[in-house]
Amino acid sequence: MTYQSSIAQTNTLIRSHNGTWDGISAESVARMRLQNRFQTGLDIARYTAAIMRKDMAAYDADPAHYTQSLGCWHGFIGQQKMISIKKHFGSTERRYLYLSGWMIAALRSEFGPLPDQSMHEKTSVPALIAELYTFLRQADARELGMMFRDIDAARASGNAIEEQRLLNAVENHQTHVVPIIADIDAGFGNAEATYLLAKKMIEAGACALQIENQVSDEKQCGHQDGKVTVPHEDFLAKVRACRYAFLELGVDDGIIVTRTDSLGAGLTKQIAVSKEPGDLGDRYNGFLDCEEIDPSTARNGDVILNRDGKLLRPKRLPSNLFQFRAGSGEDRCVLDCITSLQHGADLLWIETEKPHIEQIAGMVDRIRAVIPNAKLVYNNSPSFNWTLNFRQQVYDAWATEGRDLSAYDWAKLMSVDYDGTALADEADERIRTFQRDAAARAGIFHHLITLPTYHTAALSTDNLAREYFGEAGMLGYVKGVQRKEIREGIACVKHQNMSGSDIGDDHKEYFAGEAALKAGGAHNTMNQFAA
């Protein structure tokens, strides 16, 4: 419904009440409706799922159309990110939000900071999704509210051309509400637990769920040691649980991102069930590190596998976990990915130990030989030392080319002494184009940084603390923060407006007319930022 048709429809409704609703302004109702376009989280999930599907099709047609997101641990952070994107680029197209389980564990648990091991309250995950969308919807309300005020000012001055321009802008307003790819970890339990949590996440607005193939009770951060995977059938039951949740709630095109941690996971807790040679369970067990035994040498409590007439004893650790063969990680990743796509997944996530395009592409090439349109979500992780990794990649490439490397020490390339050198400059250029190049070569549809706002919050706080509590005193805040906010047009410099004060004043006027006691008068110090 357009702004004008909404006004007309509401006018008809008001008149039907025989004068008892005459204190209601049809235009005010239309404005409030536009400012609250999404009534429920399911409205958001359906809307954003369609966006992601459209973007996935656009990427299939041209990999230059990859998408991006940043992880946000608070609604305000997500809101400011999307406001900034609209300010700098004029559009939110192909820009999403990422919800990181790591940041929920570290920042949003009632237990306090926790490692990324699924120990935080599972309810905190849908709660953060709802919070993010509350702040994004408020960003819509704020932006539209300022446009409505400008419309009123144009009318008051008799500027019909400006009024019409603003009305057109309202009709074509682009929402701050964008897709969230939300981390459901390993499902927080069995398949039923996964289904119940998935429903809560979708109801909060999530259109894309990312689930990993680690065991729930031994889950580790993707960039730490000690990761333990589960057999495919166990994982696929949770993938199906997510799909059932989407379908039950009417989000028929919801997106499931299946993450494999097999590259860095050398352990499994279970021997897979196998009914015949070559089935999925047999292939999973085929990666186990085993030794052939004579039946007479079997020990009490041994687990024995029969393969091709041979009796094999998998290597079992004191932790009661079983060990995979060294060097089998890439093969297991490829099998994980193909299997997931063949059983309902939409996108893949391969957790790697370094950002190396050819390493990723080597696995994707093998996957695409079976499923040509396979696409990845990739973690541009802060756990990688990007500077050191790319300087070493350039060093290795130059060594292959036979170039003189006598001025460089491979093990010390992180040193500031190398800043500004030809090697460092080439490494920085490879970092700059990494997302574009990986999208083209390695099938990466979506690039995200999991924990960026965790790090930016720490860095900016450190800078402010150093200055404010040091010699700079108050100038540390004014010069380092407020002056930059003013000159760079940061929305929250008018923090009262950002928190909804002007929206509240508008509502007071709708409800009480001239009797409204408003906060935004001549004596509001926020007016100092108008210049």
Side-chain angles (χ1 to χ4, degrees):
M1 186 181 298
T2 68
Y3 182 50
Q4 298 296 339
S5 63
S6 180
I7 293 172
Q9 183 196 67
T10 308
N11 257 325
T12 300
L13 177 63
I14 290 169
R15 287 196 300 270
S16 73
H17 284 265
N18 302 318
T20 60
W21 283 18
D22 284 357
I24 302 293
S25 162
E27 186 159 17
S28 296
V29 172
R31 289 178 176 185
M32 294 174 77
R33 283 177 174 172
L34 274 177
Q35 288 173 301
N36 189 28
R37 172 180 169 183
F38 300 98
Q39 299 296 312
T40 69
L42 286 176
D43 292 336
I44 291 172
R46 295 183 186 111
Y47 169 78
T48 53
I51 289 174
M52 276 196 73
R53 291 290 179 181
K54 176 179 69 70
D55 289 346
M56 289 161 66
Y59 174 83
D60 285 340
D62 182 355
H65 295 147
Y66 61 89
T67 57
Q68 299 168 289
S69 67
L70 296 174
C72 298
W73 54 273
H74 191 279
F76 176 73
I77 300 296
Q79 177 198 66
Q80 293 303 301
K81 173 191 145 182
M82 298 316 302
I83 288 173
S84 295
I85 286 171
K86 286 193 74 174
K87 179 184 75 173
H88 291 297
F89 305 104
S91 170
T92 61
E93 186 177 358
R94 301 203 308 274
R95 278 100 176 188
Y96 304 166
L97 293 181
Y98 178 66
L99 183 144
S100 160
W102 191 102
M103 284 207 283
I104 293 179
L107 299 171
R108 302 302 298 262
S109 172
E110 292 186 10
F111 294 108
L114 294 172
D116 183 21
Q117 295 172 353
S118 289
M119 295 189 292
H120 54 282
E121 309 87 340
K122 65 174 70 176
T123 52
S124 60
V125 185
L128 180 53
I129 296 169
E131 177 182 292
L132 284 161
Y133 280 127
T134 295
F135 274 79
L136 295 185
R137 290 163 63 213
Q138 194 261 7
D140 280 357
R142 170 187 168 272
E143 187 172 65
L144 284 164
M146 292 189 295
M147 295 166 72
F148 296 145
R149 288 181 170 216
D150 290 342
I151 288 171
D152 292 340
R155 287 173 179 166
S157 66
N159 189 341
I161 294 176
E162 177 64 4
E163 178 189 357
Q164 190 56 53
R165 184 191 71 79
L166 289 163
L167 287 170
N168 290 337
V170 167
E171 297 288 9
N172 294 291
H173 176 260
Q174 185 182 48
T175 179
H176 294 82
V177 170
V178 296
I180 288 178
I181 297 176
D183 186 358
I184 196 171
D185 281 13
F188 286 86
N190 60 17
E192 173 71 5
T194 301
Y195 154 76
L196 293 171
L197 180 55
K199 277 184 64 176
K200 289 292 186 184
M201 293 170 70
I202 298 163
E203 288 169 341
C207 72
L209 303 178
Q210 168 224 323
I211 186 165
E212 60 201 64
N213 69 336
Q214 293 191 52
V215 293
S216 294
D217 57 340
E218 299 281 355
K219 180 258 189 298
Q220 292 279 10
C221 171
H223 293 106
Q224 292 185 311
D225 205 354
K227 293 190 291 183
V228 183
T229 63
V230 297
H232 295 95
E233 291 296 347
D234 295 49
F235 181 60
L236 294 174
K238 294 184 178 182
V239 173
R240 285 190 289 271
C242 292
R243 181 63 66 200
Y244 270 106
F246 274 124
L247 294 174
E248 177 183 342
L249 295 172
V251 186
D252 295 348
D253 52 358
I255 290 94
I256 298 175
V257 183
T258 51
R259 170 176 141 180
T260 172
D261 280 275
S262 291
L263 196 62
L267 305 169
T268 184
K269 199 170 188 176
Q270 298 163 260
I271 304 294
V273 173
S274 174
K275 297 179 180 178
E276 57 185 45
D279 66 13
L280 201 50
D282 186 48
R283 295 174 73 185
Y284 186 81
N285 295 338
F287 292 114
L288 292 170
D289 191 0
C290 300
E291 57 182 346
E292 186 176 352
I293 65 166
D294 184 281
S296 63
T297 65
R299 301 186 296 259
N300 186 52
D302 271 353
V303 172
I304 307 298
L305 296 178
N306 181 353
R307 177 174 296 122
D308 299 328
K310 298 178 181 178
L311 295 183
L312 305 175
R313 178 167 52 209
K315 291 186 179 177
R316 195 181 203 177
L317 305 180
S319 60
N320 202 30
L321 299 172
F322 297 94
Q323 184 173 296
F324 289 115
R325 293 194 314 276
S328 66
E330 286 203 8
D331 290 339
R332 286 184 281 125
C333 276
V334 171
L335 179 60
D336 294 344
C337 292
I338 292 171
T339 302
S340 291
L341 291 175
Q342 289 174 334
H343 292 82
D346 301 291
L347 295 168
L348 304 170
W349 174 317
I350 300 175
E351 194 76 315
T352 66
E353 82 287 1
K354 60 182 179 292
H356 194 291
I357 290 175
E358 286 306 315
Q359 178 200 32
I360 304 163
M363 289 183 278
V364 171
D365 287 346
R366 294 173 62 188
I367 297 163
R368 284 184 161 178
V370 180
I371 302 173
N373 69 337
K375 295 180 281 296
L376 267 64
V377 171
Y378 187 71
N379 179 7
N380 292 218
S381 178
S383 294
F384 303 144
N385 185 332
W386 286 77
T387 301
L388 181 60
N389 266 291
F390 275 83
R391 287 182 180 183
Q392 289 178 341
Q393 287 180 38
V394 172
Y395 183 103
D396 293 343
W398 285 9
T400 301
E401 296 169 10
R403 296 176 60 166
D404 180 13
L405 292 164
S406 59
Y408 303 100
D409 183 339
W410 190 91
K412 299 179 180 178
L413 288 173
M414 184 65 199
S415 172
V416 69
D417 296 338
Y418 294 119
D419 290 0
T421 63
L423 184 147
D425 288 346
E426 181 170 328
D428 281 355
E429 180 61 13
R430 290 191 183 197
I431 294 170
R432 187 185 72 82
T433 63
F434 174 80
Q435 294 187 341
R436 182 193 69 197
D437 297 341
R441 172 69 185 95
I444 298 177
F445 158 73
H446 185 77
H447 284 276
L448 61 89
I449 308 179
T450 44
L451 321 175
T453 54
Y454 177 89
H455 292 277
T456 55
L459 180 61
S460 61
T461 302
D462 180 79
N463 291 335
L464 176 60
R466 182 186 67 243
E467 296 297 318
Y468 177 73
F469 292 104
E471 288 298 316
M474 191 59 197
L475 183 61
Y477 173 75
V478 172
K479 187 176 180 180
V481 180
Q482 190 181 79
R483 195 175 294 168
K484 289 184 177 180
E485 287 181 307
I486 295 169
R487 291 176 176 172
E488 294 178 21
I490 304 300
C492 72
V493 70
K494 296 184 180 182
H495 48 259
Q496 307 286 14
N497 167 270
M498 197 75 254
S499 69
S501 179
D502 287 345
I503 294 173
D505 276 359
D506 291 341
H507 291 171
K508 290 174 185 177
E509 190 168 3
Y510 298 166
F511 306 154
E514 294 181 357
L517 181 63
K518 298 192 288 186
H523 298 295
N524 189 320
T525 59
M526 192 169 63
N527 296 330
Q528 296 173 19
F529 299 101

